[in-house]
Amino acid sequence: EKMLIQARSALQTVPSTVDDAIEENAFYCSTLSDLHIHRGQYEAAYQEAQEAQRLFQQVGSCRGMGRANFLLGMTSYRLGRVEQAREHLLEAVEMARQAGEPRLRLTAIDTLADVLCHFGEYESAQRYFEEALETSRSLGDLYYSALILNNLGTVHFTQQRFAQAGDCYQESLELCQQVGDRVGEAIALSNLSEIASLEGEHGRAWQLCEQTLAIGRELDDTWTILAAFCGLAEAAFAQGDYARSQECAIQGLHLASGSQTLQMQARLAVSLGGTLWKLGNAETARQLLCAASQDQACADDVRQRAQALLVEMGGANLVDVPPLGTLVIGFWEAERPQLCPMRVRQRCKNCA
C-alpha cells in the first residue's frame, strides 16, 4: 500500500495534460480500492474508486471507467447502498461491452446479479448468473466458474430448490479446491453449512462453519470470517446453545463494526436478538429485531428471519426504534467491559 501511495504521489507531479500519467494514476487508485475492499475498508475503497472513475473519464478510457464503476458498485453493495450499487454495475456492464472486455463484463454481470437478489429479482439474477457461467466456461476460467456456481446455488436456495443449490455449492467447492481458491472454498463451505442446517444436520453445519472460519483467519479475509461467525451463531442457536450463539454473534459484530459490512452486521444482529430473547433480555432483543425487520437496506432473508423471531416472541412490534447500527454500537458499548476480554481471541484495538 505504501508503495502504491508513493508511486501515485510521484505521478501527481507530472503535468495533468500527459494522458499516460493520468491513466497510470487512475490505475493506482483502482488498485488501492481493491486493496481496501480486501481489508473491509469500504468507504476508503469507494473514495479511491471515485477518483479512478474521474481520471479514467478524463482520458476517455472506456475499459477504465468500466473497472471503476465495477469497484464503485461492489463497495456500494458492501456498504448497503444497494440502489447505488445497481446503477454503477449496470454502467460497468455497458462499459465492458463497449470496450470489448469479456472478463470485466463477466465480473460486473456476476456482481449485478448478486445485487438483484437483494431486491428479490431472482429470475433476472438467475439469467445473469447463467450468462456469466456460460462466459466463464467458454473462457476456460475454472476460478470464476466456481464463484458463479456459488452464486447460482444461492438463487436456487432462495427459491427453495435445495437439491439444485447443494449441487452448485458442491461443484463450486470441488473447483475451488482444484484451482487452490481458498476464499472460494470458504464461501462454498459456508453455503453448504446452510444446506446442512436446513436438513437438520446442525452439528455438521457447525463443523463446516469452523472450517470456513479457519480459512478466513488464515487469509485474514474479513468477509469470510464474518460469514463464518454468522453461520456459527445460527448453528448454535438451532442446537439450543444460546450462550455459544451469543458469543459468536458478539465476536462477529465486533469485527463487523470496524469493517463497515452492513449486510453481515444485520445478519449477526438478528442472531444476537434471538439469543438475547432466549437468555431473558427481551427488551434489547425486540429492539434489534424490530430495527432489522424495518431496515430496507437489509437483505430480504435477514428481514424475514427477524420478523419470524418477533412473531415467535409475541407482543407488539416497536415502531420508533433507532437505526440498527446505532443499536449494535449501543449494545457493544454497554457490554464491552464484561464480554470483550473473554470473547475476542485476537488483540482488540477497540478495547485497548
Side-chain angles (χ1 to χ4, degrees), residues 155-171:
V155 172
H156 289 310
F157 183 92
T158 305
Q159 297 300 290
Q160 299 185 353
R161 298 188 290 264
F162 302 124
Q164 290 169 274
D167 289 344
C168 286
Y169 295 151
Q170 186 61 41
E171 185 180 353

Side-chain angles (χ1 to χ4, degrees), residues 5 12 25 28 45-46 50 58 86 121 131 155-156 181 184 219 233 241 254 281 289 299 305 330 335 346 350:
I5 292 171
Q12 287 170 346
N25 193 7
Y28 287 131
Y46 188 85
Q50 272 190 317
Q58 189 175 340
R86 172 154 55 179
E121 299 175 19
E131 178 187 345
V155 172
H156 289 310
D181 176 11
L219 301 177
D241 190 343
H254 182 66
N281 189 348
L289 294 172
R305 184 173 180 230
E335 301 295 330
Q346 298 177 354
N350 293 336

Side-chain angles (χ1 to χ4, degrees), residues 6 52 62 84 120 165 178 190 197 258 292 294 347:
Q6 289 170 0
C62 194
Q84 190 178 41
Q178 183 178 338
S190 177
S197 291
Q294 296 166 21
R347 177 170 172 76

Side-chain angles (χ1 to χ4, degrees), residues 14-188:
V14 179
S16 60
T17 54
V18 181
D19 284 356
D20 287 347
I22 295 173
E23 190 162 4
E24 194 167 352
N25 193 7
F27 168 78
Y28 287 131
C29 290
S30 62
T31 304
L32 278 169
S33 180
D34 256 334
L35 181 62
H36 288 311
I37 288 173
H38 174 72
R39 292 177 172 175
Q41 300 165 340
Y42 300 118
E43 284 289 2
Y46 188 85
Q47 292 170 12
E48 292 292 352
Q50 272 190 317
E51 179 64 8
Q53 182 190 45
R54 184 187 71 81
L55 293 169
F56 280 128
Q57 189 170 21
Q58 189 175 340
V59 297
S61 171
C62 194
R63 180 184 183 280
M65 285 189 287
R67 174 66 177 160
N69 270 292
F70 168 72
L71 292 168
L72 288 167
M74 173 69 80
T75 51
S76 295
Y77 185 40
R78 294 288 176 87
L79 288 164
R81 303 167 189 165
V82 287
E83 189 59 55
Q84 190 178 41
R86 172 154 55 179
E87 292 173 5
H88 284 305
L89 290 165
L90 284 168
E91 188 70 17
V93 169
E94 177 58 22
M95 290 289 179
R97 185 193 65 78
Q98 292 180 24
E101 291 284 346
R103 287 193 178 276
L104 177 57
R105 180 176 168 82
L106 171 62
T107 56
I109 285 175
D110 177 56
T111 310
L112 175 60
D114 203 23
V115 172
L116 291 174
C117 288
H118 179 94
F119 288 101
E121 299 175 19
Y122 297 111
E123 289 185 7
S124 296
Q126 183 175 340
R127 286 196 298 271
Y128 274 121
F129 282 138
E130 288 172 346
E131 178 187 345
L133 183 58
E134 183 180 351
T135 301
S136 67
R137 283 174 168 164
S138 70
L139 294 170
D141 191 334
L142 299 181
Y143 173 91
Y144 223 90
S145 293
L147 173 64
I148 297 163
L149 280 163
N150 247 320
N151 293 335
L152 184 57
T154 299
V155 172
H156 289 310
F157 183 92
T158 305
Q159 297 300 290
Q160 299 185 353
R161 298 188 290 264
F162 302 124
Q164 290 169 274
D167 289 344
C168 286
Y169 295 151
Q170 186 61 41
E171 185 180 353
S172 176
L173 176 63
E174 291 167 4
L175 286 176
C176 287
Q177 291 171 339
Q178 183 178 338
V179 299
D181 176 11
R182 296 287 279 162
V183 172
E185 182 181 351
I187 294 170

